[in-house]
Amino acid sequence: MAMSARAKAAKAAVDVIGPYFSRMQVVATDPEALVFAFGNPHEMALPALPAAIRTHAEPRSVDWFAYKSSERSAQEVVAAALSGELQMDFAPDDIAMTQGAFGAISLALALFADAGDEVVIPVPGWFCYAPMLHAANLVPVGAELAPVTFDLDVDAIARAITPRTRIVVVNSPANPTGRVYPPSAWRALAAVLDEASRAHGRRIWLLSDEPYRRIRFDGIAFTSPAAFYPWTVIDYSYGKVLLAPGARLGYLALSPLIPAAERDELRGALFSLGLAIGWGFPDAVMQYSVPDLEHLSLDLDELTRKRDRMYGALAGAGYEVTRPEGTFYLWGKAPGGDAQAFCDALEERGVYVMPGSLFEQPHHFRISLTATMTMIDRAIPHLIEVAAERASNE
Ligand code: PLP
């Protein structure tokens, strides 16, 4: 048929999620449905978000809505904030403004990988890596996280690397497991990437996917792998911390530790590649809003209370659940073992949680804690009852 091979491969990879996504969009319109599927908002947006958009939608000059690449004011705000957060010295020129983390990942793929190159991704990991790689004519290679704990398994990454590997993707705080990886994991990973780059005579780049960087519980520290491996780029999204994924804004940051000659070459390519991937820059109004949005956040205390409520109820009912250290997801093992049957049983009661098959884990499920506390309280009795039913069926 008419479609390119990469379109077919990307579509096949999205077919795992596509129908589920569409069905959940319909289900979410039912006010009685308890939908814990995607990380979508269930309450009105933080008032400062529409306020910033309204303010900056008003043109102040004739070029207000001209073509905009990375706006200098946005790059400056991001570089200063990121430098403070990671204790590294980012310059405005290291920052490419993008349409969320999606856009930043696309940009990184275009910067570093050629058709047929392999990219190592975590399993379980975000379900859009593989489709994006297929669409870019790249080959996803999964590296399993450690069983049970879902720690980063650096040996598994080492085994996944071949002479064709160009990029390794890591994600902390991690979707779907909620784990935040410690500096020791990054130190070990850096050694593996250095060794493999040397062995294969080609530099392997590290893409640190950090859209949940600021969403962490109990004061747990965050360390970026950029501090340990110089050949790192960081992608970020404002969509998570603002709980507004439809307002597309994010960035790709070049690590200041990238050797100067390579970093200069990359800096010089950020505009060209941002254009070449299809004008990947965010909307002008979103970029003007960066100074107002940079320090805005969802209510982390309230999210912690939701995490505690849901985790406490499930663990208390005998579920094997990973206590989230970050993100707004809770990852658990389906009682009875078959996550699809478990999710179906919940759906019959009007409760929608995501089956782990979307993450290549047919025995697990994911709950999004972006639901309201009322939804959580209403869903808990169902979760407890379905677990008891499924255990007695075993
Ligand atoms: N990376 C991970 C791990 C994600 O979970 C998501 C969104 O769910 C993204 C990247 C993309 O974020 P955005 O839609 O804000 O671009």
Side-chain angles (χ1 to χ4, degrees):
M1 71 142 135
M3 274 195 323
S4 63
R6 64 187 170 132
K8 285 181 200 162
K11 182 178 175 303
V14 176
D15 280 348
V16 189
I17 3 162
Y20 183 77
F21 181 77
S22 308
R23 194 160 63 83
M24 285 308 117
Q25 277 188 316
V26 175
V27 166
T29 60
D30 173 359
E32 288 304 306
L34 300 170
V35 186
F36 297 86
F38 289 93
N40 270 321
H42 290 266
E43 284 157 294
M44 293 304 272
L46 294 167
L49 170 64
I53 292 173
R54 265 195 302 274
T55 302
H56 297 288
E58 196 55 50
R60 291 173 210 167
S61 61
V62 291
D63 67 349
W64 200 249
F65 293 114
Y67 277 110
K68 297 289 170 185
S69 59
S70 293
E71 277 292 282
R72 195 67 185 170
S73 55
Q75 290 173 298
E76 284 172 358
V77 168
V78 169
L82 193 58
S83 298
E85 231 177 312
L86 302 188
Q87 297 297 300
M88 295 172 77
D89 198 12
F90 290 86
D93 285 340
D94 295 327
I95 310 297
M97 301 306 298
T98 62
Q99 296 197 14
F102 263 108
I105 293 169
S106 282
L107 181 59
L109 300 181
L111 278 173
F112 299 119
D114 288 310
D117 280 343
E118 293 175 2
V119 176
V120 175
I121 55 174
V123 179
W126 185 44
F127 36 69
C128 294
Y129 294 133
M132 290 182 77
L133 292 170
H134 287 301
N137 242 326
L138 302 171
V139 181
V141 177
E144 300 264 344
L145 299 169
V148 186
T149 61
F150 301 102
D151 282 331
L152 195 71
D153 184 343
V154 174
D155 292 335
I157 294 176
R159 286 194 300 276
I161 292 174
T162 77
R164 301 229 59 155
T165 306
R166 199 65 172 132
I167 304 173
V168 169
V169 179
V170 289
N171 169 225
S172 173
N175 176 8
T177 66
R179 293 299 318 280
V180 176
Y181 306 131
S184 56
W186 301 140
R187 210 171 284 119
L189 179 64
V192 161
L193 296 182
D194 258 335
E195 173 55 31
S197 299
R198 222 184 343 265
H200 299 307
R202 193 160 93 146
R203 180 51 64 185
I204 297 172
W205 286 87
L206 183 61
L207 172 58
S208 183
D209 183 22
E210 303 181 6
Y212 302 97
R213 191 174 62 229
R214 293 182 181 169
I215 306 178
R216 306 191 309 276
F217 303 112
D218 313 319
I220 188 168
F222 174 82
T223 316
S224 173
F228 295 86
Y229 186 67
W231 294 270
T232 301
V233 289
I234 295 171
D235 71 82
Y236 186 74
S237 170
Y238 291 83
K240 307 298 178 190
V241 76
L242 300 180
L243 204 37
R248 308 295 306 160
L249 184 68
Y251 56 81
L252 185 74
L254 306 174
S255 165
L257 303 181
I258 297 172
E262 285 171 87
R263 199 183 52 183
D264 284 350
E265 190 190 353
L266 291 170
R267 279 179 175 178
L270 290 179
F271 168 74
S272 313
L273 266 292
L275 174 156
I277 61 171
W279 206 265
F281 308 102
D283 189 87
V285 173
M286 290 311 295
Q287 293 206 58
Y288 303 145
S289 303
V290 168
D292 302 334
L293 302 181
E294 178 59 41
H295 298 289
L296 191 62
S297 170
L298 53 72
D299 184 342
L300 210 46
D301 292 336
E302 175 66 2
L303 186 63
T304 306
R305 282 191 287 275
K306 290 182 193 170
R307 191 265 324 243
D308 290 344
R309 178 93 180 94
M310 188 60 107
Y311 175 82
L314 295 189
Y319 277 81
E320 269 180 58
V321 270
T322 304
R323 189 161 184 268
E325 298 168 308
T327 75
F328 36 57
Y329 303 118
L330 191 146
W331 181 242
K333 206 159 178 194
D338 178 347
Q340 192 57 58
F342 167 71
C343 293
D344 290 347
L346 282 171
E347 288 196 10
E348 278 171 26
R349 293 161 170 265
V351 179
Y352 298 82
V353 309
M354 189 177 272
S357 48
L358 273 66
F359 302 91
E360 300 178 38
Q361 308 288 302
H363 306 303
H364 286 77
F365 67 92
R366 189 191 79 175
I367 283 178
S368 172
L369 299 169
T370 58
T372 62
M373 192 65 102
T374 308
M375 290 168 68
I376 290 173
D377 282 338
R378 283 178 55 203
I380 283 173
H382 294 295
L383 285 155
I384 293 173
E385 282 166 25
V386 168
E389 280 167 24
R390 303 227 26 96
S392 63
N393 286 345
E394 262 183 286

